[in-house]
Amino acid sequence: MMDRTHARPDDRLASVFRFATELVAWVATPWALAGTSWLLAALSVVVLIGLPTVFATPGDKAQAMVPVPGAVTILLVLLQLTAAVVSAWLVWPAWAAVVVSVLAATTLVTERPRWRWLLTSARHP
């Protein structure tokens, strides 16, 4: 059994911000790419939803199809955050892009305990 210092941190609040930012990425990124290529727009959805579904750090999700180190999980979250912010600035009015940017910044702050755990205590494949 793991002691409390190595237990996965309670990240319910961080999960809310992370999921909200992911939703923005899933909507805004294909929207931003649709003018260039419908294929790129569809591919962006596959990448943004598919990669985190398939690749996960054991102990972070109930089940990991393909186990990866914590750093990979963090990089996948950063991909989502970047996609959300960049796409929002490309396709939405400035006020909405500012809201998305604040949401992503809040996610970065609230994710820190989970990321620290992912880098130091998560079970690696």
Side-chain angles (χ1 to χ4, degrees):
M1 184 166 162
M2 228 183 262
D3 66 51
R4 295 288 292 157
T5 60
H6 290 78
R8 186 174 186 281
D10 178 5
D11 70 339
R12 285 177 282 193
L13 180 62
S15 293
V16 170
F17 290 113
R18 185 173 62 249
F19 183 67
T21 309
E22 288 171 350
L23 283 175
V24 170
W26 301 343
V27 171
T29 303
W31 188 342
L33 293 171
T36 305
S37 164
W38 68 267
L39 187 58
L40 282 176
L43 185 61
S44 72
V45 175
V46 170
V47 168
L48 291 171
I49 296 174
L51 288 181
T53 301
V54 173
F55 300 98
T57 303
D60 187 45
K61 284 189 176 179
Q63 208 172 12
M65 286 183 187
V66 177
V68 295
V72 174
T73 296
I74 293 168
L75 288 173
L76 290 172
V77 173
L78 290 172
L79 172 68
Q80 300 268 357
L81 295 175
T82 302
V85 171
V86 170
S87 299
W89 280 102
L90 289 173
V91 297
W92 292 343
W95 68 265
V98 167
V99 170
V100 171
S101 298
V102 170
L103 176 64
T106 303
T107 302
L108 284 172
V109 171
T110 59
E111 280 286 290
R112 287 179 57 210
R114 176 175 170 249
W115 290 0
R116 198 169 16 262
W117 176 82
L118 282 167
L119 292 173
T120 60
S121 304
R123 293 176 293 156
H124 298 284

